[in-house]
Amino acid sequence: MSMAASPSAGGATTPPPTEPEIPKRRNAELVLLGGALVLGMFAYANLGEAAAGKLPGNFWTMGLMFGAVLLIAHLAVRWLAPYADPLLLPIAAALNGIGLVLISRLDPYNIANGLAPKAGAAGQQAMFSVLGVVVVIVVLFFVRDHKVLQRYAYLSALAGLLLIALPAVLPASMSEVNGARSWIKFAGLSIQPAEFGKLLMVSFFAAYLHAKRDTLALASRKVLGIYIPRGRDMGPLIVCWAFAMLVLIRETDLGVSLMFFGAFVIMLYLATERASWLIFGVLLFVGGAALVAMTFSHVQVRFDNWLNPFGSVNGNSRQTAQSLYAFANGGLFGTGLDQGYPYLVGFANNADYIMDTVGEELGLVGLAALLIGYALFVARGLKTALLVRDPYGKLFASGLAVTFALQVFITAGGVMRVIPLTGLPMPFLAYGGSALLANWILVALLIRISDAARRPLPPALPLTAPPNLLDPRAPGNGNNGGRLYGQDKAART
């Protein structure tokens, strides 16, 4: 007898057991957003006390504005993605707030030396931060199901490749900044299109690898315990490698090249579970980058600065040497905000060198806390990939998390001399509207996927159904006979 339909003493049936409701965790998100606000405002107050012995003049205005923006973002997530991961938005908000404080700290020197607008870079970055939250709301409103993006996979690939390659075909006057041709400059504005191109390419990679997973997972033979892919399946890897090398040669941008190719190789490994793809990918990129460095002088300069940072402290390797001095000066606990000399590095609020400010003025402890925040964000992205049910969503979420992790590693590794310097912006931390908006879009996409991952499934169809639903000849089911399927079969027998 079924427990769901067992009779009670009074002849009534007991209701079927209900599954526990999945918590939405929106209140937890609100509390964490309050913590992110307190962290940012405490750092801003500390900066004002160190610089002038009092709170900054716009302290309360900035606090109210920042708090209102975070509250609006929370309400939008509560409305549009109620089951989303409660940590994604607070972590991004905390990193963005710390970035605004660091840019404010560097503004006086940069304004005095013409490296920032007279109104300061922090004001512009705050404006882009508000715009980033608006973009999150827009993405959540229009993209109600992440699987819709799978339909536009090849259109995304075309647009992504155009955005990444466009600076290479423009004149240097419209695309070159500090030796790297990765910008589009017009009408007083500058855009880094690769920041948006990477998101489009991750969507394409997820759709393509989902469709070709079984083919790419096939192996021809096993050598030294490693399954070697078939030669005919190496085509996509070779094409991505060739495009990455062209970006490295033409745009002098090792960061974009490494991030583009690295994201594809790691997603290829996640889709096929073949370690051989990782091995081939690493060998191809390292060999190609070494060959390019020996052939093209502008790439060789970056490798020389990496191998010998103190060889020309007044020339090409000056920034690399000053960066290492800044980390050494910070020690364990740092000199304190506004008590160090990170501005001596030059362009310290841009791209990867903003890490010097963290290392010198917040020390190893502050730097470790920052990297833990990044690691936690990546971990939540990967957890979303594990929980989401559709294969495209799994690859898309893991691709977004991997791309974010690669950008953090490439940026921090370049400053700390683990790898050659690349020039990629540190996510949420460095000055730059393009990178900030692209990272907020990444947050919005992960929020949307995590909402789908944690949302409860619709109630399943019952295992048994009324007979008239099982009989195709019952009234309303295409036949006017009116007899049940069992009765009809018995009559025929």
Side-chain angles (χ1 to χ4, degrees):
M1 181 182 296
S2 172
M3 293 182 62
S6 60
S8 61
T13 58
T14 59
T18 58
E19 296 183 1
E21 183 180 356
I22 298 177
K24 297 180 179 179
R25 307 296 299 276
R26 299 277 63 85
N27 292 334
E29 179 187 78
L30 182 61
V31 172
L32 292 173
L33 283 173
L37 175 63
V38 170
L39 176 64
M41 297 313 297
F42 175 78
Y44 195 37
N46 191 293
L47 176 62
E49 290 290 340
K54 60 180 181 180
L55 292 177
N58 61 349
F59 178 79
W60 297 110
T61 303
M62 292 296 295
L64 290 174
M65 184 186 74
F66 196 40
V69 169
L70 295 183
L71 179 60
I72 292 172
H74 165 73
L75 293 176
V77 173
R78 184 181 284 267
W79 169 42
L80 297 170
Y83 288 94
D85 191 300
L87 267 70
L88 292 171
L89 185 62
I91 294 173
L95 294 171
N96 198 162
I98 294 298
L100 288 173
V101 172
L102 296 176
I103 294 171
S104 298
R105 181 262 175 276
L106 295 166
D107 261 353
Y109 176 84
N110 290 330
I111 294 172
N113 289 272
L115 301 177
K118 293 183 179 180
Q124 290 187 357
Q125 191 76 349
M127 179 186 68
F128 280 112
S129 300
V130 175
L131 187 58
V133 173
V134 173
V135 168
V136 169
I137 298 173
V138 170
V139 171
L140 292 178
F141 182 81
F142 285 102
V143 183
R144 297 300 181 97
D145 185 356
H146 64 275
K147 293 189 289 293
V148 172
L149 301 176
Q150 188 177 3
R151 304 175 189 171
Y152 308 100
Y154 288 94
L155 185 61
S156 298
L158 178 61
L161 290 174
L162 286 176
L163 287 174
I164 294 174
L166 186 57
V169 300
L170 292 176
S173 59
M174 296 181 61
S175 62
E176 186 171 335
V177 175
N178 299 327
R181 301 183 64 174
S182 56
W183 299 81
I184 298 177
K185 298 184 291 183
F186 65 95
L189 300 175
S190 58
I191 301 173
Q192 202 167 7
E195 290 293 328
F196 303 99
K198 69 182 182 184
L199 302 178
L200 294 170
M201 293 308 300
V202 168
S203 178
F204 165 70
F205 289 157
Y208 174 80
L209 293 173
H210 166 51
K212 304 294 183 180
R213 176 187 178 277
D214 293 336
T215 301
L216 295 171
L218 293 176
S220 59
R221 65 182 63 87
K222 188 175 182 180
V223 178
L224 299 177
I226 300 174
Y227 289 97
I228 305 299
R230 299 183 304 176
R232 71 188 76 171
D233 299 328
M234 294 288 287
L237 185 67
I238 299 298
V239 171
C240 283
W241 173 80
F243 184 79
M245 291 301 104
L246 289 175
V247 170
L248 178 58
I249 294 169
R250 182 62 181 168
E251 298 186 7
T252 327
D253 200 330
L254 179 63
V256 171
S257 176
L258 179 55
M259 184 172 61
F260 168 80
F261 185 69
F264 176 74
V265 171
I266 295 176
M267 290 180 67
L268 182 57
Y269 165 71
L270 294 175
T272 62
E273 300 180 11
R274 295 291 189 194
S276 53
W277 287 116
L278 284 178
I279 297 173
F280 278 107
V282 171
L283 292 177
L284 278 173
F285 190 86
V286 172
L291 181 62
V292 170
M294 291 186 294
T295 308
F296 296 91
S297 59
H298 55 264
V299 179
Q300 187 174 5
V301 168
R302 296 221 171 190
F303 277 83
D304 290 341
N305 294 340
W306 171 52
L307 296 173
N308 189 15
F310 302 105
S312 178
V313 293
N314 293 319
N316 292 329
S317 65
R318 175 184 173 277
Q319 282 185 299
T320 306
Q322 289 285 5
S323 173
L324 297 176
Y325 287 138
F327 284 118
N329 188 42
L332 185 60
F333 296 105
T335 61
L337 284 173
D338 204 57
Q339 302 299 309
Y341 307 94
Y343 47 81
L344 295 179
V345 177
F347 300 99
N349 64 348
N350 291 342
D352 32 21
Y353 281 119
I354 198 167
M355 290 285 290
D356 298 334
T357 308
V358 179
E360 182 173 7
E361 299 194 342
L362 301 181
L364 179 61
V365 173
L367 192 61
L370 179 70
L371 294 177
I372 289 173
Y374 282 122
L376 187 58
F377 183 88
V378 174
R380 302 307 292 189
L382 294 176
K383 182 178 180 181
T384 296
L386 290 173
L387 293 179
V388 73
R389 301 172 184 94
D390 62 292
Y392 168 75
K394 288 182 178 295
L395 284 172
F396 193 22
S398 60
L400 292 172
V402 163
T403 303
F404 189 87
L406 272 175
Q407 187 159 349
V408 172
F409 168 75
I410 293 169
T411 305
V415 176
M416 298 176 184
R417 210 173 145 247
V418 177
I419 59 175
L421 198 64
T422 61
L424 281 180
M426 198 67 178
F428 294 111
L429 218 63
Y431 171 63
S434 302
L436 188 59
L437 291 179
N439 285 315
W440 275 115
I441 294 174
L442 186 148
V443 172
L445 292 173
L446 281 178
I447 288 175
R448 170 54 65 214
I449 300 173
S450 68
D451 176 66
R454 299 179 70 247
R455 186 179 292 273
L457 290 171
L461 292 175
L463 295 178
T464 58
N468 65 322
L469 294 181
L470 300 176
D471 184 6
R473 288 155 297 186
N477 290 344
N479 187 282
N480 294 324
R483 289 180 296 180
L484 299 182
Y485 176 67
Q487 295 172 341
D488 181 71
K489 183 178 179 181
R492 290 199 316 269
T493 303

